Amino acid sequence: MSSKLKIFELLDVLDNLKHLKRTGWVKCGVTEPETVACHMYRMAVLAMALEGEIDNLDAMRTVKMALVHDIGEAIAGDITPHCGVSDQDKFDLEKKAIDTIASYVPNVGDEWTMLWKEYEEAASLTARVVKHLDKFDMIVQADKYEQTHAIDLQQFFTSTTGVLTMEPFATWDRALREKRNQRINKE
């Protein structure tokens, strides 16, 4: 039985993600910013850690969604709200990219596409958890960059105020903001 897996095309996608610096950090002047792959990896590890923390959450499905939620950026690029691209155009670019990537992995491509679409629509508990992981990871990273690069990344905290409503994220968000405020007030 021969494989229909397009391994070298998939490896190119993964290589792109390993080297694609996250646009928000680049635009803020962060030296050596994380890549999209770094972001997705940390989200996946956090998703594994949520096992038993959220009722009825399928942690392995959450890990899978965390690993594919930004995979289309390998082709479409990391488009932020500040890039001048409409939400619909961003969706269309990423949808085309995920369809292309799914064609490289025919045995699981439909699942990857479904997970990506579910994430985009926030259509399930899993998707809502991954959305929360995405925002929480972003502000944790912003806090770390503020500490290591002595820059002000308040815009990331402002954009997520009141967004993390699901537990345990709401509690983690409050704790992070309290720690950050204490650090800022000491400076």
Side-chain angles (χ1 to χ4, degrees):
M1 178 191 232
S2 71
S3 173
K4 298 204 188 302
L5 175 65
K6 295 182 179 176
I7 189 65
F8 296 108
E9 290 86 344
L10 179 60
L11 286 166
D12 283 344
V13 163
L14 299 175
D15 191 63
N16 288 347
L17 293 171
K18 282 173 45 177
H19 299 283
L20 179 61
K21 291 176 172 57
R22 295 196 71 208
T23 303
W25 307 133
V26 171
K27 287 184 180 268
C28 288
V30 173
T31 56
E32 298 183 38
E34 71 175 339
T35 65
V36 173
C38 291
H39 165 65
M40 293 185 339
Y41 172 78
R42 185 157 76 170
M43 285 179 60
V45 172
L46 290 172
M48 283 194 300
L50 289 173
E51 181 78 45
E53 291 288 321
I54 299 172
D55 290 341
N56 303 313
L57 181 69
D58 180 340
M60 283 291 84
R61 183 173 172 73
T62 307
V63 169
K64 287 180 179 184
M65 189 177 288
L67 288 170
V68 301
H69 87 284
D70 279 344
I71 200 167
E73 292 180 10
I75 296 171
D78 183 19
I79 302 167
T80 72
H82 304 287
C83 290
V85 177
S86 74
D87 288 345
Q88 186 61 54
D89 286 346
K90 178 182 187 287
F91 178 87
D92 292 344
L93 287 167
E94 290 181 356
K95 172 74 170 96
K96 183 177 178 186
I98 193 75
D99 288 344
T100 298
I101 295 165
S103 76
Y104 302 156
V105 290
N107 293 341
V108 293
D110 287 345
E111 179 185 18
W112 290 11
T113 300
M114 181 195 61
L115 287 167
W116 176 83
K117 186 173 187 277
E118 186 179 321
Y119 169 80
E120 286 294 312
E121 296 172 351
S124 65
L125 172 63
T126 302
R128 290 187 299 277
V129 166
V130 175
K131 290 271 187 188
H132 275 67
L133 277 171
D134 187 48
K135 297 299 184 193
F136 182 69
D137 179 63
M138 180 182 72
I139 60 173
V140 168
Q141 190 64 63
D143 185 60
K144 182 60 77 175
Y145 286 149
E146 283 185 333
Q147 293 176 59
T148 58
H149 298 295
I151 57 177
D152 179 6
L153 296 172
Q154 177 60 42
Q155 66 187 14
F156 294 93
F157 292 92
T158 300
S159 72
T160 56
T161 299
V163 170
L164 298 171
T165 57
M166 177 184 286
E167 289 298 340
F169 303 101
T171 298
W172 295 348
D173 180 44
R174 281 191 303 276
L176 176 65
R177 289 170 193 270
E178 286 171 18
K179 276 180 36 181
R180 179 175 180 262
N181 287 336
Q182 288 172 0
R183 175 178 49 80
I184 289 171
N185 290 331
K186 283 182 184 176
E187 294 174 352

